[in-house]
Amino acid sequence: MIKIEHVKKSFGHLDVLHDVSLTVDDGSVVVILGPSGSGKTTLLRSINFLERADKGKLTIGSSSVDLHSAKKKEVLKIRRKTSMVFQNYNLFANKTALENIVEALVTGHGIPRAQAVERAKEELRKVGLSDKENYYPSQLSGGQQQRVGIARAVALDAEVILFDEPTSALDPELVGETLALIKQVAKDGHTMIVVTHEMSFAEDVADKVVFMDGGYIIEEGSPQDIFYHPKEERTRQFLRRIIPVGEYVI
């Protein structure tokens, strides 16, 4: 189980997260929705210390850390329990698809190179890129680069995979195939926290949907609860703006 407790984060005078708490069950998929600037990405980045929270506690399995005062060893331990798929792929431009995955395994997790190569090859096969393992990011389409990013995240065998709007940088025609791949990762039983604007994906895949706005969790529940029976007026306003009229009962 993952527990995020009382997380606060400010950038200067701008309060981005206000006392945010969230629980994620093992093997479940939590989708976080909300307008731009609601704090979704900052929350994800706080979980794996890409941002240092001002306050809060994180528990992943048997490991608990203070998100503000965690020491270097504690941060490394948590990072080894998480992996992240970024909006803009975050691949090393000077390394091939295979090397991008191998590097993460060897440097981040201390896995012997020969073993890392075999695991990387297997994950590239699963995402349909066996024939592209020696291609550099510049030789791959956006969708292919994101597949490498997903393969890298899965290869790390983390306790939770974090997805930060994984389709936002893709051409519309590539969104569907990337979402289909993420759905398959979910079916394989990985614990996932996904920030996305893809409503149909959220309904299909999520065990829990969380709606954030202004740095607060406004509402959370099952996809059925959030999309068809939202309790909060702010949630209803958000859904009306982004979902075709009549598609959901709001």
Side-chain angles (χ1 to χ4, degrees):
M1 178 180 289
I2 299 159
K3 291 185 69 176
I4 302 159
E5 300 176 81
H6 306 296
V7 179
K8 295 183 178 181
K9 175 64 180 176
S10 299
F11 294 102
H13 297 295
L14 178 63
D15 295 330
V16 179
L17 295 174
H18 303 268
D19 199 35
V20 172
S21 297
L22 179 65
T23 299
V24 181
D25 294 330
D26 289 340
S28 69
V29 178
V30 172
V31 171
I32 304 178
L33 308 175
S36 297
S38 60
K40 309 182 301 296
T41 291
T42 300
L43 179 60
L44 281 195
R45 292 173 65 86
S46 296
I47 291 171
N48 67 354
F49 290 95
L50 291 175
E51 299 287 354
R52 178 73 72 155
D54 299 322
K55 181 181 178 181
K57 180 181 177 182
L58 172 66
T59 301
I60 301 180
S62 59
S63 300
S64 294
V65 295
D66 186 295
L67 288 171
H68 178 66
S69 62
K71 305 302 183 185
K72 187 174 181 180
K73 286 185 178 180
E74 294 176 305
V75 171
L76 180 59
K77 186 174 183 180
I78 290 297
R79 284 181 172 166
R80 286 179 171 172
K81 291 176 177 287
T82 67
S83 58
M84 192 159 182
V85 178
F86 297 87
Q87 295 181 39
N88 295 311
Y89 326 132
N90 277 38
L91 302 179
F92 292 110
N94 64 337
K95 295 184 182 296
T96 65
L98 183 71
E99 290 168 344
N100 264 280
I101 301 174
V102 170
E103 184 70 20
L105 292 168
V106 173
T107 303
H109 288 252
I111 294 174
R113 181 163 291 274
Q115 182 181 340
V117 168
E118 289 305 309
R119 186 181 298 182
K121 285 178 176 285
E122 174 62 15
E123 295 304 332
L124 286 173
R125 182 193 65 77
K126 289 180 181 178
V127 300
L129 291 177
S130 291
D131 60 335
K132 300 291 191 298
E133 64 180 40
N134 293 317
Y135 282 49
Y136 290 90
S138 62
Q139 298 172 301
L140 300 172
S141 70
Q144 289 169 337
Q145 290 183 64
Q146 194 59 293
R147 286 188 179 204
V148 175
I150 293 170
R152 178 177 59 188
V154 174
L156 292 172
D157 197 26
E159 293 188 32
V160 58
I161 304 177
L162 311 173
F163 292 82
D164 182 18
E165 299 192 26
T167 62
S168 65
L170 298 177
D171 292 334
E173 62 204 36
L174 300 175
V175 170
E177 67 181 41
T178 302
L179 291 176
L181 176 58
I182 298 172
K183 287 181 183 180
Q184 184 56 55
V185 172
K187 288 179 181 178
D188 290 340
H190 294 279
T191 305
M192 296 162 48
I193 304 176
V194 186
V195 169
T196 185
H197 291 294
E198 301 290 340
M199 298 297 117
S200 60
F201 169 82
E203 185 178 10
D204 289 345
V205 176
D207 297 293
K208 180 192 291 185
V209 175
V210 176
F211 173 61
M212 291 186 66
D213 187 36
Y216 295 93
I217 290 179
I218 304 299
E219 188 169 358
E220 61 181 274
S222 69
Q224 183 77 14
D225 292 336
I226 299 300
F227 291 125
Y228 295 92
H229 307 288
K231 297 177 181 178
E232 301 296 329
E233 178 57 28
R234 182 65 187 95
T235 309
R236 290 192 287 270
Q237 290 174 351
F238 175 76
L239 293 175
R240 289 190 191 108
R241 289 175 181 169
I242 61 175
I243 295 176
V245 174
E247 187 169 340
Y248 295 96
V249 180
I250 56 176

